[in-house]
Amino acid sequence: MAAINKPELLAPAGNLECVAAAVRNGADAVYLGAKAFSARAFAENFDGDALKAAARLCHLYGAKVYLTLNTLLLENELDQAVETIRQACQAPVDGILVQDLATWELVRRCAPAMPIHASTQMSVHSLEGVRQLEEMGFTRAVLARELSLEEIAAIRQGCSIELEVFVQGALCMSVSGQCYLSAMVGGRSANRGSCAGSCRLPFTSTGDKTAHDLSLKDNCWANYYQALWDMGVDSLKIEGRMKRPEYVAAACQSYRALSLGKDPQLDRLRRVFSRSGFTEGYPSGRRDGSMFGIREKEDVTAADQELLRSLAQSYQKEVPFLPLDLTLTVQPDTPCQLTACCAGQKPVTVTGEPPQIAKTRPLTEEEAAASLTKLGGTVFLPGTITCNIAPGLMLPKSALNALRRQATEQLTEQVSYRPEIPFAPAHLHSIPRPEAQKQTSWGRFSRWEQLPRNWEQRLDLAILPMEQLLDLSEQNLSSKLAGEAPRMLFGAEEEKFAQQLDMLKEKGITKLLVHGLAQLRLGREKGFTLLGSPFLNITNLVALEQYRQLGVKQAILSPEVTAASLSRWAGEHTGWLCYGKLPLMVFRACPIRAKQGCKACSGHSALTDRTGRKFEVACHKKQYQELLNCVPLWLADKQTDFRTLEHPVFWFTTESRENCAEILDAYSHRQKPAGDFTRGLYYRGLNAKRERRE
């Protein structure tokens, strides 16, 4: 377990002004994005000289800076990612956050000395997932926002890796890294940094067209600050790389006050930005209707100009905090000399012009000290001033000021300097174009009752939730069956899952579909043949190879990659989604329960968007819920475009047995779709035109 020290206060920065707002208001570290591969593509972000300037400013204040390369990489972006890692090493930054295992591997290859943090986009929400990250050499895990205080404490007790927790700011409705709503409905991928915030639009479960049933209030853990400190959480993170610097300043002031045992002035923070106030539903475990809210007119107008001006004044000038000792030596016929000393730094000595013989007023120690203590605009505070001035000499104030400026500038450079991190470019191998594969069909079902009667003749593999398989009698078991791990594992559910794996193995089921690192680790330890879910978000060959090394034998690739791209690199042992009402979100704060309570739901409900489209909500034993797309994916007539992949995968969710049979028949006859359908992103791809969202 990590030592119980004061947790790091980690602040967001979308531009250099926000960096200043953070470090000049007490942040211990700042996280920011590069121009490419940042989960907040619409922030100003940093590259090259701007990244160096940000790192210099952070290091001047003794703060660390972390670069977020936490989006999925496409196959043709790997070289650009290597270049971004090179810039990070030159800046240098103090760590890189990643989502994609390809980025993880590239950082390891190019800069093995660079600390790597697992972004919240990796959807790690349990102890086994964190332990897997620890085994892989990650230095820090950013935990999913959906965890309760009790669940975080259990993770902290069971691992030694650094843990980072979001304590303030916007809450995504979906678990990070598991949202496809913006991508599927508008071509702007949350996994690629260009989320359009589709969940903030009107959705209703009751018919109220003004409802925003997928919009959560902003997170606030202020009341749990001391508990996080006591349990040994290493870093407390403020969300907001899209927010203005006044917000960064206010949030840093509030949480710095908490660390000092002072009033955090949360009402002032709320006035700067909130959505109908704040929520502490996740840390408390009370995930009810009080968590939901939108940004009202009153929220927008709450921050008056006086408040914003006072916050801006807190970061517009350097904040002095380093005591500076100065020794001035003025002797006849000798260049004057000033030595500056700061704790932890090598002394700096500068020289100037020789003094003159005083004709009227010789230079006094008091006059010299008065000039030398004018340290405004620097990070230095006047310390001990020693003046060794021979009698009868004169030195202009301009010369004294020049000495002071030279000394403080050199010492500033020294304080802010960090050596570059060694970098060696990765040599990526060229990819031979994959050949056509003999295709074997997989079907994923929610319930045993969905399987057509002759399913073994139609499918090479049927995947069902583990609980469904455990309920089967021995005569129903087939070598063509595989278990599906739960999409999410929270708290005690993980221990239950491990026990169920043993029971499944006893029944002779040897294949397991896994959705995340926790399920992967436990399944591998139990000896299962692992199948990778599309929600592992594999979008390139490097990531695919890393999952194979972790034990995944066959993988369903991300539905956010185009068919044309897949045909260039995806080959044997890979699959693609060919049919299904795809899950667009997975969430823990259920909007149906929030509005109507669980008694009004049989496990399947629906939300209606502003255009009248219905999105089904599937509940998984009240542990988590999935939002399904309003229309099914259909690719039965496009099979030849996926001939280099091995496994067409049918993702059945709410269909009846008869529907499943009809769909399998239509696929075998390569039929065109009837009724409403989508091709997903396989043909239209993601929207490359990124427009700033207000």
Side-chain angles (χ1 to χ4, degrees):
M1 178 176 168
I4 303 179
N5 299 315
K6 182 179 72 172
E8 169 189 86
L9 177 57
L10 177 57
N15 55 40
L16 193 59
E17 191 176 9
C18 289
V19 175
V23 297
R24 291 172 185 165
N25 281 285
D28 301 302
V30 170
Y31 67 102
L32 45 80
K35 292 289 186 182
F37 315 127
S38 164
R40 291 294 180 269
F42 302 120
E44 188 174 322
N45 292 326
F46 302 80
D47 261 351
D49 291 341
L51 184 59
K52 288 181 180 179
R56 178 186 178 278
L57 181 56
C58 289
H59 293 149
L60 178 61
Y61 281 85
K64 293 183 177 181
V65 56
Y66 307 129
L67 185 67
T68 59
L69 299 185
N70 57 341
T71 64
L72 301 179
L73 301 180
L74 301 181
E75 185 63 33
N76 63 354
E77 295 175 329
L78 298 176
D79 287 332
Q80 186 182 359
V82 170
E83 170 59 20
T84 304
I85 295 167
R86 182 187 66 81
Q87 293 182 13
C89 291
Q90 290 178 337
V93 302
D94 299 283
I96 292 178
L97 283 82
V98 309
Q99 172 186 11
D100 196 323
L101 288 195
T103 316
W104 167 70
E105 173 62 12
L106 292 176
V107 175
R108 291 201 306 161
R109 284 196 219 173
C110 299
M114 177 71 75
I116 308 177
H117 299 182
S119 168
T120 189
Q121 291 286 117
M122 291 190 77
S123 309
V124 175
H125 47 273
S126 68
L127 177 58
E128 290 298 327
V130 173
R131 285 175 172 169
Q132 179 62 57
L133 293 172
E134 195 166 11
E135 288 177 5
M136 294 166 68
F138 282 87
T139 56
R140 178 181 294 186
V142 187
L143 297 178
R145 293 170 171 90
E146 291 73 19
L147 296 176
S148 68
L149 189 72
E150 182 180 352
E151 289 163 342
I152 293 172
I155 293 173
R156 177 71 288 169
Q157 288 290 331
C159 68
S160 57
I161 191 175
E162 291 182 6
L163 296 181
E164 182 175 301
V165 174
F166 275 93
V167 294
Q168 185 68 43
L171 284 173
C172 295
M173 184 66 198
S174 176
V175 173
S176 295
Q178 300 298 308
C179 183
Y180 310 90
L181 178 64
S182 176
M184 289 297 178
V185 303
R188 285 170 46 174
S189 169
N191 284 317
R192 298 269 296 155
S194 56
C195 176
S198 303
C199 57
R200 302 292 182 190
L201 296 172
F203 281 86
T204 179
S205 60
T206 61
D208 177 4
K209 293 183 179 181
T210 65
H212 292 74
D213 289 354
L214 289 178
S215 182
L216 295 174
K217 295 178 180 178
D218 274 21
N219 204 18
C220 183
W221 286 57
N223 290 329
Y224 299 86
Y225 179 90
Q226 190 62 47
L228 291 168
W229 184 345
D230 292 344
M231 74 172 64
V233 167
D234 299 275
S235 181
L236 306 184
K237 188 171 196 170
I238 299 165
E239 181 278 337
R241 281 188 287 146
M242 296 283 289
K243 292 191 173 76
R244 57 191 176 190
E246 291 88 349
Y247 171 82
V248 176
C252 287
Q253 289 177 14
S254 290
Y255 281 86
R256 179 54 64 213
L258 285 167
S259 73
L260 300 173
K262 297 180 180 179
D263 178 8
Q265 300 185 65
L266 292 180
D267 183 63
R268 186 182 66 162
L269 179 56
R270 180 194 60 76
R271 287 168 58 201
V272 177
F273 192 94
S274 83
R275 291 182 171 90
S276 309
F278 298 142
T279 178
E280 53 185 42
Y282 283 135
S284 67
R286 295 188 296 273
R287 300 184 297 274
D288 54 25
S290 66
M291 292 185 66
F292 292 77
I294 61 173
R295 191 148 167 80
E296 304 277 9
K297 180 180 179 181
E298 293 77 10
D299 299 318
V300 176
T301 59
D304 55 57
Q305 290 303 310
E306 182 180 352
L307 172 57
L308 295 176
R309 272 195 301 271
S310 68
L311 289 168
Q313 289 170 357
S314 71
Y315 61 80
Q316 289 174 341
K317 296 180 180 179
E318 297 285 13
V319 177
F321 70 101
L322 290 173
L324 184 66
D325 296 335
L326 295 170
T327 300
L328 175 68
T329 302
V330 181
Q331 297 296 322
D333 303 320
T334 304
C336 54
Q337 179 176 288
L338 181 65
T339 298
C341 296
C342 182
Q345 301 294 323
K346 288 177 59 177
V348 166
T349 298
V350 297
T351 57
E353 60 188 72
Q356 303 169 12
I357 301 299
K359 295 181 179 179
T360 52
R361 288 182 54 198
L363 178 66
T364 66
E365 292 185 5
E366 291 77 11
E367 289 174 333
S371 291
L372 295 177
T373 54
K374 293 179 180 179
L375 297 171
T378 74
V379 295
F380 301 109
L381 293 166
T384 301
I385 307 295
T386 303
C387 296
N388 301 314
I389 304 173
L393 300 177
M394 188 277 291
L395 195 67
K397 285 186 178 180
S398 59
L400 286 170
N401 292 339
L403 285 172
R404 185 194 69 239
R405 282 195 300 271
Q406 291 178 51
T408 55
E409 286 172 2
Q410 289 187 27
L411 201 55
T412 296
E413 288 297 319
Q414 187 173 300
V415 171
S416 61
Y417 172 77
R418 298 291 185 276
E420 290 186 11
I421 293 175
F423 171 86
H427 299 290
L428 302 175
H429 299 294
S430 59
I431 304 168
R433 197 173 185 92
E435 299 178 353
Q437 303 293 319
K438 179 183 177 181
Q439 295 189 346
T440 54
S441 298
W442 293 0
R444 179 270 181 194
F445 300 85
S446 295
R447 306 178 313 282
W448 175 258
E449 293 76 18
Q450 289 176 295
L451 271 73
R453 290 180 178 83
N454 58 344
W455 70 267
E456 288 182 85
Q457 284 72 54
R458 298 167 179 260
L459 293 170
D460 297 281
L461 187 70
I463 305 166
L464 286 110
M466 293 168 54
E467 293 88 346
Q468 293 283 314
L469 294 179
L470 291 174
D471 288 341
L472 295 179
S473 59
E474 298 300 324
Q475 61 266 30
N476 290 123
L477 295 179
S478 163
S479 60
K480 289 188 174 184
L481 287 174
E484 179 190 4
R487 182 89 179 269
M488 298 280 122
L489 290 172
F490 296 103
E493 291 295 312
E494 200 164 62
E495 183 177 348
K496 179 182 176 182
F497 170 63
Q499 295 169 353
Q500 289 176 329
L501 285 176
D502 291 332
M503 297 164 61
L504 201 63
K505 199 76 179 291
E506 290 174 4
K507 278 182 168 283
I509 303 295
T510 60
K511 293 182 178 180
L512 181 70
L513 181 73
V514 296
H515 300 294
L517 291 176
Q519 301 96 321
L520 184 156
R521 184 174 191 268
L522 286 169
R524 185 183 63 225
E525 288 182 350
K526 300 290 185 180
F528 281 84
T529 298
L530 301 182
L531 314 177
S533 145
F535 309 119
L536 292 179
N537 293 325
I538 300 173
T539 58
N540 59 73
L541 194 55
V542 174
L544 177 62
E545 180 57 32
Q546 300 315 305
Y547 273 111
R548 284 174 175 164
Q549 292 187 20
L550 291 174
V552 175
K553 301 300 182 185
Q554 297 166 300
I556 308 167
L557 303 179
S558 168
E560 294 192 278
V561 186
T562 64
S565 176
L566 290 173
S567 70
R568 290 191 289 269
W569 62 268
E572 61 180 354
H573 308 310
T574 62
W576 80 100
L577 294 171
C578 67
Y579 169 83
K581 289 184 179 179
L582 302 185
L584 302 183
M585 279 187 170
V586 56
F587 39 75
R588 209 178 182 192
C590 179
I592 309 300
R593 180 173 58 208
K595 280 292 182 71
Q596 304 177 57
C598 290
K599 290 182 179 179
C601 174
S602 61
H604 280 89
S605 301
L607 291 171
T608 304
D609 74 0
R610 68 193 192 284
T611 69
R613 295 177 297 182
K614 288 190 177 297
F615 296 76
E616 293 176 84
V617 177
C619 182
H620 296 267
K621 296 188 174 181
K622 301 182 183 180
Q623 294 299 313
Y624 61 91
Q625 296 76 36
E626 290 179 303
L627 182 75
L628 306 181
N629 202 359
C630 55
V631 292
L633 175 72
W634 188 279
L635 296 171
D637 54 328
K638 298 286 186 179
Q639 297 177 47
T640 56
D641 295 342
F642 299 88
R643 57 187 175 276
T644 66
L645 284 76
E646 194 170 322
H647 310 294
V649 181
F650 300 85
W651 200 268
F652 295 115
T653 51
T654 60
E655 295 85 355
S656 67
R657 171 179 286 179
E658 291 72 24
N659 290 151
C660 293
E662 290 169 359
I663 290 161
L664 292 173
D665 285 342
Y667 193 87
S668 66
H669 292 96
R670 300 176 181 264
Q671 291 180 6
K672 292 186 177 181
D676 292 337
F677 70 97
T678 179
R679 303 293 192 186
L681 298 166
Y682 287 120
Y683 294 95
R684 60 187 169 98
L686 295 168
N687 189 354
K689 183 180 179 183
R690 293 178 170 180
E691 297 175 348
R692 180 176 294 276
R693 174 171 57 88
E694 295 298 322

